[in-house]
Amino acid sequence: MNDAPLPYAFGQRFATLDAYLAHLKQRAGPIDLPWWRQIGPDLFEQVRGRGAPAAQAERATRAELMHRFGFER
């Protein structure tokens, strides 16, 4: 369980990275906030809102996202 504050978690806590990423897709994406889409077996790409600058999309591995957001498994 991640007890650290997470971006766009809306006060919720998540046991796994996958649960957090699903939350972002379902809750943050529809209101134009960033979320992460899986684009490969171990690769994710950040999806940003329509008002975000047209920069190259950020990519990260599962391990990088787990470290970034404080998940152990």
Side-chain angles (χ1 to χ4, degrees):
M1 175 77 66
N2 180 310
D3 290 326
L6 294 167
Y8 313 115
F10 306 110
Q12 294 185 41
R13 293 161 61 183
F14 303 92
T16 65
L17 175 66
D18 290 327
Y20 176 56
L21 296 179
H23 161 82
L24 289 178
K25 182 177 181 179
Q26 293 170 346
R27 298 272 319 269
I31 58 173
D32 227 14
L33 295 173
W35 59 281
W36 291 86
R37 152 178 62 213
Q38 190 165 4
I39 59 171
D42 189 43
L43 189 60
F44 296 81
E45 179 177 72
Q46 189 177 49
V47 179
R48 303 196 307 160
R50 289 182 294 275
Q56 183 175 359
E58 181 181 357
R59 291 184 175 180
T61 65
R62 177 176 295 280
E64 289 169 337
L65 290 180
M66 289 181 72
H67 178 73
R68 178 184 297 190
F69 296 125
F71 289 95
E72 294 179 14
R73 56 181 181 94

